[in-house]
Amino acid sequence: MCAASLPDTATFPFETAVVAGVGLIGGSVALGLRQRLLARRVIGYDANPEVLREAQALGVVDEIRTSPGEWLRAADLVVLASPMRTLSPLARDLAPFLSPAALVTDVGSVKSGITAEMEALGVRQFVAGHPMAGSERGGVTHARAALLENAVWVLTPGDHTPLTALSRARTLVEALGAAPVVMPPDAHDALVATISHLPYLASLALTHMVARDERLSLLAAGGFRDLTRVASGDPRMSRDMVVENKAALREALARFRRQLERLEADLDDPEELLAAAAEGKRTRYSLPVVKRSLLPPKHDLVVAVPDQPNQIGAVTQALGASGVNIKDIEVLAIREEGGALRLGLESPEEVSRAAGILRAEGFEVRGRG
């Protein structure tokens, strides 16, 4: 069962969702909305018609649009998912056509600017957001709903954001399988300046040193490559990201310089350097093992169920009889015509095995291991 095949009388959290910018993250959000039956239809909006055609062919979106217009007034959810440099212009293009009741959010990595922009545009139901998820491989062809699973998704309401809008945004994030964390926009920007944008500039500096001395490249092996991995991102998008957050990044760079100066001084004091190394090791090992999450990984199977008695029992009994251990179960949607269940399982292998069992019983399933 999918949103497109359900009767018109079925109800959804959102009737019409618009994802503006159908790349890796936007495409993943769109897939999450469709796979979790959160929107009756998902419209992809992008300036690039080739990207839209590809997204539609891959089943990422139901419909495609290349220009704003009155059609936007039907949307009760709008997700701005374009690159940072185009986010504010995109908001200005769409704002005149948005329904005042529509929940609007974004997925940009810097929050203060877009929050101020939306307030100036009078979009009151806007809640800025940043899913801490991604991949070195960009584009809609690599989009997947599972990319958002367990990801920390920061929400940064502005001073005038209605509590109802924030509540709706939190519910949406949770329904997509992510973990919402709420903080002010400037606090978010200061934090990502240190944990994301500063490492990018440090990686650039190190790779530039290698580029200017060919002898270094002979010895720059696995450890160096791991340390400078973030320098392999899209140059233009990375440039726009750090420039948008330059005030907070300058403060982070100042703190980083002080740390380097302290370590330089410690070269003359081996015991202090040993203490600094021990602190670094403790801190490194205390970081979450799941790179994009503070949460343990989950392996999910989504099952579409008709509105008939004992359907949940039929699912659990079929799996239990075959020795499949259900770690978690969540009702994702309830409608007159049916709904969906999310089953949390032990491993990707268990997801595959359970999918086969339930398909044999006549259920439609989607795995997310």
Side-chain angles (χ1 to χ4, degrees):
M1 183 185 298
C2 68
S5 64
L6 288 170
D8 289 340
T9 54
T11 59
F12 295 78
F14 299 98
E15 285 292 306
T16 300
V18 173
V19 177
V22 192
L24 175 69
I25 299 299
S28 297
V29 171
L31 281 170
L33 292 170
R34 299 194 76 223
Q35 290 183 5
R36 286 178 169 258
L37 306 180
L38 299 175
R40 181 186 301 279
R41 62 173 179 158
V42 178
I43 301 175
Y45 171 86
D46 202 292
N48 188 333
E50 291 184 8
V51 168
L52 288 177
R53 285 193 291 269
E54 186 173 24
Q56 192 171 35
L58 291 170
V60 174
V61 296
D62 300 301
E63 302 175 23
I64 56 176
R65 299 278 187 166
T66 57
S67 59
E70 291 298 321
W71 61 270
L72 275 162
R73 299 201 191 279
D76 47 359
L77 171 65
V78 178
V79 182
L80 308 179
S82 68
M84 281 303 309
R85 66 185 173 84
T86 64
L87 205 53
S88 288
L90 174 65
R92 290 193 289 270
D93 288 343
L94 301 191
F97 303 101
L98 298 179
S99 165
L103 174 65
V104 184
T105 188
D106 79 306
V107 299
S109 61
V110 184
K111 305 285 36 128
S112 297
I114 190 62
T115 300
E117 182 73 43
M118 296 304 271
E119 287 188 359
L121 291 169
V123 182
R124 300 304 176 206
Q125 300 294 317
F126 175 73
V127 183
H130 179 199
M132 307 292 286
S135 169
E136 293 179 12
R137 298 177 298 177
V140 69
T141 54
H142 297 112
R144 53 194 179 94
L147 187 69
L148 307 174
E149 287 285 350
N150 291 337
V152 170
W153 193 313
V154 185
L155 297 174
T156 62
D159 294 337
H160 305 293
T161 302
L163 289 178
T164 52
L166 178 58
S167 177
R168 293 173 71 197
R170 285 182 63 105
T171 300
L172 170 65
V173 167
E174 290 170 349
L176 287 168
V181 175
V182 180
M183 65 180 67
D186 56 346
H188 165 276
D189 292 351
L191 291 173
V192 297
T194 299
I195 57 97
S196 179
H197 303 165
L198 174 61
Y200 173 70
L201 291 187
S203 294
L204 288 188
L206 289 169
T207 54
H208 289 177
M209 291 173 69
V210 169
R212 285 155 179 74
D213 187 340
E214 63 181 16
R215 297 171 301 168
L216 292 174
S217 63
L218 298 175
L219 303 179
F224 186 87
R225 287 177 60 86
D226 290 343
L227 187 63
T228 57
R229 179 182 59 83
V230 293
S232 64
D234 181 274
R236 188 176 297 276
M237 291 181 65
S238 299
R239 187 266 325 256
D240 295 339
M241 171 185 72
V242 297
V243 169
E244 179 71 16
N245 202 28
K246 61 185 177 183
L249 184 51
R250 284 194 172 110
E251 294 181 8
L253 282 165
R255 295 194 303 273
F256 188 52
R257 290 191 194 96
R258 290 195 292 270
Q259 289 294 324
L260 289 176
E261 289 167 358
R262 174 193 162 193
L263 292 173
E264 182 181 9
D266 288 345
L267 292 174
D268 296 321
D269 190 339
E271 291 304 312
E272 282 296 317
L273 189 58
L274 178 62
E279 180 184 357
K281 183 174 182 177
R282 286 194 304 271
T283 302
R284 177 65 177 79
Y285 278 123
S286 72
L287 297 176
V289 174
V290 182
K291 293 186 177 73
R292 62 182 172 87
S293 175
L294 301 176
L295 308 172
K298 292 189 298 185
H299 306 285
D300 289 357
L301 189 68
V302 176
V303 186
V305 293
D307 183 26
Q308 298 173 5
N310 198 34
Q311 290 302 299
I312 295 177
V315 169
T316 57
Q317 289 167 20
L319 296 181
S322 299
V324 176
N325 184 23
I326 300 174
K327 308 289 288 186
D328 187 23
I329 186 167
E330 176 188 2
V331 178
L332 298 178
I334 288 291
R335 295 175 283 278
E336 288 184 4
E337 292 74 20
L341 302 176
R342 180 191 64 79
L343 307 180
L345 302 176
E346 194 83 34
S347 66
E349 292 74 22
E350 286 287 85
V351 170
S352 179
R353 190 158 76 94
I357 294 167
L358 292 176
R359 286 193 182 104
E361 294 290 327
F363 291 98
E364 182 172 342
V365 300
R366 296 188 183 96
R368 298 212 290 278

